[in-house]
């Protein structure tokens, strides 16, 4: 039985993860971490990782980038595996995550959905075939409470496409102040925020007289919660290293 601590336990995603784990037999929630220390469903919630009375096998983090340092310090000092699903990190923070993976198992991805990661693979294939001939634009839509823009997933998709095309492309986030034609080596990224949209991502390959569109839509947060829990169960049997959804898929999960 894998012992899990949820960081961000009283947030929307934290509660969904708790609900998903409650229906499983291979893992259990033993504690939570949140500035709001209201008790969870059958477990105690603590304000800081350092207050945890029992070491979990793995921490699932859906909190806020500002809490990363304390989380990594705890995991490094106790040898605890961690699934990092929070978005909005700086390049410096991402570097610290990768460095921590030298000592502990770290699962880090911008999106925990299996479908999104398939979309990423399809986008890379499309880029290999169409690159240089088609303009590439990415549109992402999320609920009106999301803070970071563009989404981490949009950046993940753009990076995957760009790597396939030898990193020749620059990202353009805003065109209203630019009065010029679109550049050839450019990936445009556009963010929409409204209502309760869980998450929608669309990759547009626009060529001469034809357009190819790849898209993914999440109907509920449970899609990401299930992926996170699968990642946690997978990670607790791994040695130190940096893992992502591709690792999980290759393992047959």
């Amino acid at each position: 039985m894998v012992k899990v601590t949820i960081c961000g336990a009283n947030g929307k995603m934290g509660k969904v993860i708790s609900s998903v784990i409650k229906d499983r037999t291979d893992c259990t929630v033993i504690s939570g971490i949140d500035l709001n220390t209201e008790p969870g469903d059958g477990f105690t919630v603590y304000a800081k990782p350092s207050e945890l009375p029992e070491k979990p096998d793995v921490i699932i983090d859906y909190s806020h980038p500002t809490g990363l340092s304390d989380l990594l310090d705890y995991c490094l000092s106790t040898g605890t595996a961690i699934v990092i699903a929070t978005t909005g990190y700086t390049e410096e923070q991402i570097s610290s995550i990768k460095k921590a993976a030298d000592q502990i198992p770290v699962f880090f991805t911008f999106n925990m959905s299996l479908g999104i990661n398939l979309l990423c693979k399809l986008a890379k294939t499309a880029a290999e075939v169409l690159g240089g001939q088609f303009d590439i634009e990415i549109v992402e839509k999320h609920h009106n409470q999301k803070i970071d823009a563009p989404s981490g997933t949009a950046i993940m998709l753009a990076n995957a496409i760009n790597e396939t095309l030898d990193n020749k492309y620059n990202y353009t986030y805003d065109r209203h102040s630019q009065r010029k034609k679109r550049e050839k080596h450019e990936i445009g990224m556009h963010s929409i925020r409204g209502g309760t949209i869980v998450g929608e991502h669309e990759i547009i390959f626009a060529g001469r007289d034809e357009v190819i569109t790849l898209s993914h839509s999440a109907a509920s947060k449970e899609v990401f919660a299930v992926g996170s829990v699968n990642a946690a169960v997978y990670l607790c049997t791994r040695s130190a290293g940096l893992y992502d959804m591709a690792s999980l898929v290759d393992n047959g999960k």
Side-chain angles (χ1 to χ4, degrees), residues 6-12 15 32-40 43-48 51:
I6 303 172
C7 185
N10 281 318
K12 292 180 180 179
K15 291 179 178 179
I33 303 169
D34 202 301
L35 292 178
N36 172 10
T37 56
E38 179 182 344
F43 58 90
T44 303
V45 178
Y46 302 88
K48 299 178 181 179
E51 297 176 359

Side-chain angles (χ1 to χ4, degrees), residues 197-214:
I197 301 172
V198 175
E200 297 180 13
H201 291 84
E202 186 176 75
I203 307 169
I204 301 167
F205 292 88
R208 186 179 179 89
D209 299 329
E210 61 179 334
V211 176
I212 298 170
T213 302
L214 302 175

Side-chain angles (χ1 to χ4, degrees), residues 2-252:
V2 177
K3 297 178 181 178
V4 178
T5 291
I6 303 172
C7 185
N10 281 318
K12 292 180 180 179
M13 276 304 305
K15 291 179 178 179
V16 177
I17 290 170
S18 174
S19 175
V20 168
I21 292 178
K22 194 171 183 180
D23 291 333
R24 294 181 60 143
T25 58
D26 56 354
C27 54
T28 185
V29 181
I30 63 168
S31 58
I33 303 169
D34 202 301
L35 292 178
N36 172 10
T37 56
E38 179 182 344
D41 186 5
F43 58 90
T44 303
V45 178
Y46 302 88
K48 299 178 181 179
S50 59
E51 297 176 359
L52 295 176
E54 179 183 358
K55 175 188 173 302
D57 296 315
V58 59
I59 293 176
I60 300 177
D61 174 39
Y62 268 102
S63 56
H64 191 275
T66 55
L68 179 66
S69 181
D70 284 347
L71 266 180
L72 290 183
D73 285 347
Y74 174 84
C75 290
L76 288 169
S77 64
T78 59
T80 304
I82 182 168
V83 175
I84 300 177
T86 300
T87 60
Y89 290 119
T90 64
E91 289 299 322
E92 184 178 356
Q93 287 177 311
I94 292 174
S95 178
S96 68
I97 290 170
K98 293 179 178 178
K99 185 177 180 181
D102 292 335
Q103 301 179 53
I104 58 173
V106 176
F107 195 104
F108 178 55
T109 181
F110 288 112
N111 194 294
M112 286 289 175
S113 160
L114 184 61
I116 276 289
N117 285 273
L118 174 59
L119 177 67
C120 192
K121 286 189 175 182
L122 294 174
K124 292 170 72 172
T125 299
E128 289 175 356
V129 176
L130 307 173
Q133 303 177 55
F134 284 60
D135 295 326
I136 305 168
E137 299 282 308
I138 297 174
V139 181
E140 56 95 351
K141 306 173 186 178
H142 284 87
H143 52 85
N144 57 22
Q145 300 300 300
K146 187 171 178 61
I147 298 174
D148 55 313
S151 67
T153 301
I155 295 172
M156 178 183 77
L157 294 169
N159 287 344
I161 292 169
N162 203 10
E163 288 169 8
T164 301
L165 299 173
D166 299 323
N167 292 310
K168 294 178 180 177
Y169 284 67
N170 298 312
Y171 303 159
T172 297
Y173 304 100
D174 182 14
R175 290 198 179 93
H176 84 277
S177 61
Q178 302 178 21
R179 293 186 58 82
K180 64 178 184 178
K181 293 182 179 180
R182 188 186 194 284
E183 295 180 1
K184 181 178 177 63
H185 293 119
E186 177 180 303
I187 296 177
M189 285 200 271
H190 314 276
S191 300
I192 294 172
R193 297 289 178 267
T196 58
I197 301 172
V198 175
E200 297 180 13
H201 291 84
E202 186 176 75
I203 307 169
I204 301 167
F205 292 88
R208 186 179 179 89
D209 299 329
E210 61 179 334
V211 176
I212 298 170
T213 302
L214 302 175
S215 64
H216 176 272
S217 178
S220 77
K221 293 180 181 295
E222 189 163 323
V223 171
F224 312 113
V226 170
S228 302
V229 176
N230 285 341
V233 172
Y234 163 82
L235 195 65
C236 72
T237 61
R238 303 290 143 176
S239 56
L242 188 64
Y243 303 88
D244 58 17
M245 192 57 74
S247 309
L248 197 61
V249 171
D250 292 342
N251 194 56

